[in-house]
Amino acid sequence: MMSKTIRYRLGALALGLAGLFAGPAEAQNANVLERAKQRGYLTCGIHTGLPGFGYQDDQQQWRGLDVDLCRAVAAAIFDDPTKIRFVQTTTQTRFIVVQTGDVDMLSRNATYTMARDTAMGMAWPVINFFDGQGFMVRRALNVATVKGLSGATICVTQGTTTELNLADYFRANNLRYEVVSFKTNEEGVKAFEAGRCDSFTTDSSGLAAERLKFANPNDFVILPELISREPLGPAVRRGDENFSAIVRWAHYAMLNAEDLGVTRANVEELAKTTQNPEIRRLLGLDGKYGEGMGLGNDWAYRIIRHIGNYGEAFERNVGAGSRLGLPRGLNALWSKGGQQYPYPIR
């Protein structure tokens, strides 16, 4: 589906403010789940094209870790991950589409911050990728550290936490720099590749994804340092706690599945044979945990059967065996030194 960028920009003031200041009555009437059921599909705001997270493959199918979270929610609701319509969003439109209700959820490498959580009419159910801001430079520049960029020109996208972090870090370390800002991430990346600036900065995972698009990726190096904490996750419109819970527990179901060794390959067999109490609750064999969200009790089974567990989604989209080749790092399970902690289903 094509981006609605122009309409969103023109309607940002009127519609965006309406979303920001929705009153208690409007919040109580919000019911994303029922609206999705009535229309027969979920709507999800995604990136315009970021390898590993939200991009179209050679068959024009949307793929990526963020896309898989959208599909997981659709699977939980409809038992069909294809019952979804994707809306491409830019940095400028990504939050407006949530505030106005044009999408049911946003899943687009967006950083969870206090201001976004408290003053923008949105809720952030969960973090599906822990990241940090990094810098990419040309290999020929022979720069090994971020502090080696003192006096450099740096490309950055306007209106992002990236832009704010850049200013904070260079000011705190008394480093000189010249910022070259762009309205879209794509414009900044192209300018950097063309040599208009010495460095491009964004989330480290985003740098790895953007480098894949370059004509000569090996000509560029991602510096090892991270200058910020970037907890990335989906956003939904504030006021619908039930739908927020569905998005949150879709992610936790995938984490629980990985923690318990439940995969796409074995979930059907386990549903017939397992006596493990935790797995039985996860697959809806014991208890009625889906009912509290307005879903079938096999909601998590649906997710795992169609999408797999979190480790499977990570590996095929961004992991060591993918084009991005990212390590699990902070996104490893809690039991393996990471930050991904599966809350209990019981």
Side-chain angles (χ1 to χ4, degrees), residues 28-342:
Q28 291 174 3
N29 291 331
N31 193 324
V32 175
L33 175 61
E34 289 308 312
R35 290 203 305 271
K37 286 181 177 180
Q38 288 172 11
R39 80 167 84 94
Y41 58 87
L42 183 77
T43 58
C44 186
I46 55 173
H47 204 284
T48 55
L50 188 67
F53 292 89
Y55 69 103
Q56 286 182 301
D57 62 17
D58 294 339
Q59 286 74 46
Q60 302 302 302
Q61 296 296 311
W62 284 101
R63 307 291 182 193
L65 190 67
D66 290 335
V67 169
D68 273 353
L69 182 56
C70 296
R71 293 194 190 280
V73 175
I77 297 171
F78 301 108
D79 196 17
D80 185 348
T82 69
K83 288 190 175 181
I84 188 167
R85 291 191 182 177
F86 294 109
V87 177
Q88 299 177 56
T89 66
T90 66
T91 303
Q92 286 72 35
T93 65
R94 56 183 173 167
F95 298 140
I96 296 171
V97 295
V98 179
Q99 294 162 350
T100 60
D102 282 287
V103 299
D104 298 324
M105 62 182 288
L106 177 76
S107 189
R108 185 199 183 280
N109 70 319
T111 302
Y112 173 38
T113 69
M114 182 178 179
R116 290 174 178 176
D117 186 40
T118 61
M120 294 185 68
M122 297 184 297
W124 301 75
V126 75
I127 303 304
N128 72 321
F129 193 87
F130 292 93
D131 206 348
Q133 184 173 329
F135 293 78
M136 181 160 51
V137 299
R138 288 183 176 276
R139 190 179 298 274
L141 198 62
N142 289 321
V143 171
T145 68
V146 177
K147 291 182 179 178
L149 290 172
S150 182
T153 54
I154 301 176
C155 286
V156 67
T157 308
Q158 296 173 2
T160 61
T161 56
T162 305
E163 188 177 28
L164 301 176
N165 294 335
L166 173 65
D168 285 351
Y169 182 85
F170 275 68
R171 182 171 58 247
N173 288 279
N174 296 313
L175 302 175
R176 296 178 297 106
Y177 75 105
E178 179 182 346
V179 66
V180 184
S181 60
F182 297 88
K183 289 184 178 180
T184 69
N185 191 72
E186 291 76 11
E187 292 173 339
V189 171
K190 289 179 180 178
F192 169 62
E193 186 182 17
R196 290 183 57 188
C197 44
D198 299 311
S199 177
F200 178 74
T201 182
T202 189
D203 300 335
S204 181
S205 61
L207 294 177
E210 296 293 359
R211 186 171 60 175
L212 290 176
K213 302 177 184 178
F214 292 166
N216 298 294
N218 291 331
D219 290 348
F220 300 87
V221 176
I222 298 173
L223 300 181
E225 301 154 272
L226 300 179
I227 67 166
S228 71
R229 299 181 302 279
E230 303 296 324
L232 309 178
V236 298
R237 193 176 184 186
R238 186 175 294 279
D240 189 336
E241 292 301 322
N242 184 68
F243 186 69
S244 187
I246 291 172
V247 175
R248 177 166 52 250
W249 284 97
H251 177 66
Y252 288 152
M254 295 173 73
L255 289 181
N256 272 285
E258 182 181 7
D259 199 38
L260 294 167
V262 183
T263 68
R264 288 180 74 182
N266 67 19
V267 66
E268 292 189 24
E269 180 63 24
L270 285 172
K272 299 173 184 176
T273 63
T274 186
Q275 296 303 312
N276 181 306
E278 288 186 90
I279 296 177
R280 290 185 64 83
R281 288 193 295 271
L282 174 67
L283 302 185
L285 302 173
D286 291 339
K288 298 181 179 180
Y289 299 100
E291 289 185 2
M293 299 185 291
L295 302 177
N297 290 318
D298 63 344
W299 62 279
Y301 169 80
R302 296 175 175 185
I303 293 173
I304 302 162
R305 185 165 66 89
H306 291 294
I307 309 300
N309 64 41
Y310 180 78
E312 290 177 291
F314 188 99
E315 179 60 26
R316 69 171 168 261
N317 290 305
V318 301
S322 72
R323 293 174 62 206
L324 262 66
L326 300 180
R328 283 293 291 266
L330 291 174
N331 293 291
L333 290 176
W334 67 287
S335 55
K336 297 183 179 179
Q339 297 292 314
Q340 293 291 357
Y341 187 95

